[in-house]
Amino acid sequence: MRISLTLAAAATLLALPMSAGATGIHQCEATDRAAWLTKEQLTSQLEAEGWSVRFMKEDGGCWEVYGTTAEGERVEGYFHPVTGEPQLIAQRGRILFSAEDNS
């Protein structure tokens, strides 16, 4: 019994890093991490476009940004880590913009 619990606990711990990674909503192309914009650089770029940035993190090789657009919409956006170009903008599960649709 003790061995079963230990194995179950180990399996759970091994699975956690995989589930704690990218959400799978959007993936950016692989790029050299040294070439990425910093959080501050992307925040400045977005604020110059009228955005208000609340929170930013790395997800799926992109910068994932939670904020408000110049039009006042609260959104979640995925931005190319090197260029800062929007890749996907969504609001409550509804896609407002996708770079794939505009290529």
Side-chain angles (χ1 to χ4, degrees), residues 14-94:
L14 288 173
L16 283 177
M18 289 183 253
S19 63
T23 60
I25 294 173
H26 187 76
Q27 297 285 317
C28 286
E29 65 186 68
T31 56
D32 179 15
R33 184 73 167 115
W36 279 36
L37 295 169
T38 64
K39 286 183 178 183
E40 293 77 17
Q41 290 171 318
L42 183 56
T43 297
S44 293
Q45 180 177 323
L46 291 173
E47 286 175 347
E49 296 173 10
W51 280 60
S52 174
V53 176
R54 289 192 329 273
F55 178 73
M56 182 185 309
K57 67 178 183 172
E58 180 182 335
D59 187 20
C62 306
W63 279 122
E64 179 182 16
V65 176
Y66 294 87
T68 307
T69 66
E71 295 77 32
E73 297 177 301
R74 290 184 66 165
V75 297
E76 171 184 4
Y78 286 80
F79 294 85
H80 191 279
V82 176
T83 66
E85 291 296 316
Q87 302 298 298
L88 181 93
I89 308 292
Q91 182 181 53
R92 297 184 181 169
R94 192 178 97 226

Side-chain angles (χ1 to χ4, degrees), residues 1-12:
M1 179 73 175
R2 176 174 230 134
I3 292 173
S4 304
L5 290 174
T6 303
L7 289 174
T12 301

